[in-house]
Amino acid sequence: MKFRLTTGAIASVIVFIVAGIAWTLWDQAALAIHKFGWQFWQTSIWDPVSGEFGARPFIWGTLYSAILAILISTPIAIGIAVFLSDWCPASLRAPLVFVTELLAAIPSIVYGLWGIFVLVPAVREFQVALPDWIRAMPMFSGPPVGVSMLSAALVLAIMIIPYTSSIAREVLKSVPATQREAAYALGATRWEATRVALHYARTGIFGAVMLGFGRALGETMAVTMVIGNNPQVKWSLFAPQYTMAAVIANEFSEAADELHLDALVEIGLVLFAITLIVNVGSRLLLWQMNRERKPKQRATAPAEEAA
Amino acid sequence: MKITVEHLNFYYGAKKALTDISIEMKANEVTAFIGPSGCGKSTFLRTLNRMNDIIPGARVEGSVKIDGADLYASGTDAVLLRRKVGMVFQKSNPFPKSIFENVAYGLRINGMAKGRELAEQVEASLKAAALWEEVKDRLHDPAMALSGGQQQRLCIARALAVRPEVLLMDEPASALDPIATQRIEELIYVLKKDYTIVIVTHNMQQAARVSDATAFFWMGKLIEFGPTPSMFTGPREKLTEDYITGRFG
């Protein structure tokens, strides 16, 4: 009983911390919230000089970059996970796992530096090399500056691959051997057996992807260094844009007046709300998927123990 | 003879799991493998459809012939072979799909049927596994919603769908209650008209009830093999007698 109370108290601390963070953000952003209301989510202007603030380009930049990163990283991460769990020779597995997990240990600022010196010039050259008719399309338009949405999405994708792939690998590893064996017994090839395992593990893999998405939403430093920091809502992959985390990091120490500061805190609040929505949403989806899978569990007699 | 095994040795890496097994199994008969845990009976069963191939470090010596064709000859395609040798596992392992899709899976991946023909073959397989009446109105419900015994019969239907000639059953009823077990046993009795069945079981009464021939394994060796009635009434080997009378194991 005592134990239960103690652990219960400790667990509730977490809830208080989350609520406390939300409250602090709300409180610190009071001026901006009061002045702009819901308009803050929709306004595209970000002008500290005239005191006009809107979060729309930052929300756009955060979501767009994170979604692009997921689109790029998910197939690669799942490919890595499948290779490591089903196809890789045993002697190669441990070193490969080590290397992919090492990627997760690299500090974000180092990714940023690499992005500036390698990725950004590469993106610029790629854009210049594209034929004119492609560059005329809205997705690929704009001057070739290199710092852009695409650079940010690529850095993010590389950063989240180790997270998604290591969880997806664990999930694939935990698929009961009899699932693959059942497929083999029906004349499945190795690839078809892998697909059975992927199907069995799909909720877990979805969870792995969402974890990567959550991380991409909040990633700050590396993105700030390569995205171009220009608040605009554009589809173009080559346009410099901005994210919520990046604008807070860039402007917080230089925010001179109260309203600017409060607007930045409110950006933080919006980011907090969006990550919360994404997390709750993916939880609900997972829950729904699991319910479809196991509508009700019926008891069967316990297995006869081996003699 | 449907299945002929000659001087089979099997290794997991350096560990020898089966020693010099030679046995012949007749078509349209049920052959039961009995023996204490770890005696190699499941390992042996899995050499009959090369399921051990997927275990790293597994190695086979000797020959296993089905209808005279050697499974381990260099030209044999394990994927095609497994289609001819169906398998049912100890714990029911339906895919997390609908009842229909579970049975259709093997037909689909092997390109054996489509559309209406597919539906007919799924129905036929479910009927053959004595499950059709219970599921015909909910073919698109998840297979995981079925009871343990129904799931196991679904797995049998899934195995039958690709029209194998041999059916391997690895303790198919060990996780089931007595009534579900009885249904599986009745099913085995019916199925042997069309299939050659090999069943591994811990349960000696079950072996006595369902099988025509019984093989007793001990420590990776085949100790005794013969018609089931004589195995249970007058075993030749002392070890067999000790085991079936419950003196060990």
Side-chain angles (χ1 to χ4, degrees):
Chain A
M1 198 58 206
K2 208 171 174 185
F3 187 69
R4 196 185 195 176
L5 274 177
T6 325
T7 50
I10 293 168
S12 61
V13 167
I14 300 291
V15 178
F16 281 119
I17 288 175
V18 173
I21 290 172
W23 166 248
T24 312
L25 289 172
W26 182 274
D27 190 48
Q28 295 288 315
L31 210 60
I33 293 172
H34 186 72
K35 184 159 182 214
F36 305 115
W38 285 108
Q39 281 301 312
F40 189 74
W41 289 70
Q42 296 165 30
T43 313
S44 290
I45 301 161
W46 183 266
D47 186 353
V49 181
S50 65
E52 275 296 317
F53 297 103
R56 188 151 166 248
F58 306 104
I59 297 171
W60 166 262
T62 295
L63 289 177
Y64 193 28
S65 62
I67 289 169
L68 284 174
I70 286 296
L71 291 179
I72 300 165
S73 69
T74 300
I76 300 170
I78 292 176
I80 292 172
V82 165
F83 179 72
L84 287 175
S85 72
D86 281 40
W87 291 79
C88 180
S91 56
L92 220 73
R93 187 170 296 137
L96 276 177
V97 168
F98 178 74
V99 171
T100 42
E101 261 146 43
L102 199 68
L103 273 179
I106 298 173
S108 147
I109 189 108
V110 176
Y111 276 108
L113 284 172
W114 175 80
I116 286 179
F117 290 116
V118 179
L119 196 61
V120 167
V123 166
R124 186 166 49 223
E125 272 168 41
F126 172 65
Q127 189 186 359
V128 172
L130 285 177
D132 284 342
W133 63 272
I134 290 184
R135 290 180 60 188
M137 298 198 296
M139 277 288 274
F140 304 100
S141 62
V145 282
V147 285
S148 60
M149 178 54 77
L150 181 62
S151 302
L154 286 171
V155 166
L156 277 177
I158 295 166
M159 290 177 77
I160 60 182
I161 280 171
Y163 289 86
T164 313
S165 73
S166 71
I167 295 197
R169 184 174 57 87
E170 288 298 322
V171 171
L172 279 173
K173 224 169 76 181
S174 69
V175 172
T178 54
Q179 283 285 317
R180 289 185 181 88
E181 287 178 357
Y184 279 126
L186 293 165
T189 59
R190 207 167 163 190
W191 166 236
E192 283 161 344
T194 297
R195 281 185 51 184
V196 165
L198 277 171
H199 178 78
Y200 188 91
R202 65 198 188 286
T203 49
I205 288 173
F206 177 77
V209 171
M210 289 319 288
L211 185 90
F213 188 61
R215 192 172 148 76
L217 285 177
E219 174 48 42
T220 311
M221 211 52 235
V223 173
T224 310
M225 291 165 82
V226 299
I227 199 168
N229 299 332
N230 187 353
Q232 51 180 348
V233 177
K234 281 217 168 141
W235 281 105
S236 174
L237 295 175
F238 295 119
Q241 301 192 31
Y242 221 154
T243 67
M244 290 188 267
V247 72
I248 298 171
N250 274 335
E251 296 187 6
F252 200 81
S253 57
E254 291 152 19
D257 61 284
E258 194 70 15
L259 186 64
H260 188 187
L261 206 62
D262 279 31
L264 286 172
V265 176
E266 195 179 350
I267 294 261
L269 185 64
V270 171
L271 182 58
F272 183 74
I274 287 178
T275 31
L276 214 66
I277 291 167
V278 166
N279 272 301
V280 170
S282 53
R283 265 310 138 81
L284 287 176
L285 237 135
L286 276 177
W287 189 54
Q288 182 68 27
M289 283 161 90
N290 274 327
R291 245 184 11 169
E292 269 170 37
R293 193 145 132 187
K294 275 187 195 160
K296 52 202 156 192
Q297 199 78 47
R298 278 189 223 168
T300 51
E304 262 178 70
E305 267 311 303
Chain B
M1 283 302 148
K2 185 73 182 173
I3 307 171
T4 312
V5 180
E6 282 168 335
H7 304 298
L8 183 99
N9 292 311
F10 183 84
Y11 305 84
Y12 288 116
K15 189 175 161 278
K16 195 169 189 179
L18 295 172
T19 307
D20 197 28
I21 309 271
S22 295
I23 189 171
E24 292 184 324
M25 286 167 261
K26 290 198 189 93
N28 302 100
E29 274 202 354
V30 178
T31 305
F33 294 171
I34 60 169
S37 291
C39 68
K41 57 193 190 299
S42 283
T43 301
F44 181 54
L45 187 79
R46 293 162 62 95
T47 61
L48 302 181
N49 66 343
R50 290 184 56 175
M51 194 54 88
N52 289 320
D53 285 18
I54 58 181
I55 298 169
R59 196 157 55 84
V60 175
E61 290 166 2
S63 79
V64 179
K65 288 180 180 142
I66 294 184
D67 293 330
D70 191 347
L71 306 193
Y72 290 94
S74 56
T76 307
D77 182 349
V79 170
L80 286 176
L81 162 80
R82 294 198 192 102
R83 212 167 89 190
K84 277 174 62 181
V85 185
M87 189 164 192
V88 177
F89 297 81
Q90 182 167 5
K91 216 173 152 290
S92 59
N93 55 350
F95 301 129
K97 302 176 182 217
S98 70
I99 294 166
F100 182 91
E101 282 304 323
N102 262 279
V103 183
Y105 178 82
L107 296 166
R108 284 193 203 277
I109 59 165
N110 292 304
M112 292 168 81
K114 272 193 201 133
R116 259 199 52 162
E117 205 188 331
L118 181 75
E120 282 167 13
Q121 292 191 23
V122 167
E123 182 180 336
S125 305
L126 285 167
K127 278 180 175 157
L131 188 61
W132 175 252
E133 287 304 320
E134 291 155 65
V135 301
K136 63 181 176 188
D137 300 321
R138 47 176 178 143
L139 288 176
H140 298 285
D141 282 7
M144 300 289 193
L146 296 172
S147 72
Q150 288 172 325
Q151 284 190 20
Q152 194 61 300
R153 274 179 284 143
L154 179 69
C155 293
I156 294 173
R158 181 176 67 183
L160 297 180
V162 294
R163 283 171 262 142
E165 294 163 19
V166 178
L167 196 58
L168 309 178
M169 303 178 115
D170 190 357
E171 301 186 46
S174 70
L176 303 178
D177 61 66
I179 293 167
T181 300
Q182 195 192 341
R183 300 208 58 170
I184 300 279
E185 288 180 9
E186 285 163 5
L187 184 57
I188 291 170
Y189 189 78
V190 174
L191 288 174
K192 80 173 181 184
K193 281 203 280 293
D194 300 310
Y195 303 91
T196 305
I197 296 175
V198 185
I199 177 170
V200 165
T201 179
H202 265 122
N203 180 330
M204 273 170 291
Q205 287 77 27
Q206 185 171 64
R209 282 192 301 261
V210 303
S211 69
D212 302 294
T214 299
F216 172 59
F217 288 82
W218 186 73
M219 302 269 283
K221 293 192 182 90
L222 176 61
I223 302 299
E224 188 170 350
F225 175 56
T228 300
S230 60
M231 277 285 279
F232 281 92
T233 52
R236 289 182 311 251
E237 301 287 332
K238 177 87 171 61
L239 219 47
T240 317
E241 189 183 341
D242 286 352
Y243 182 69
I244 60 178
T245 53
R247 230 164 285 166
F248 80 96

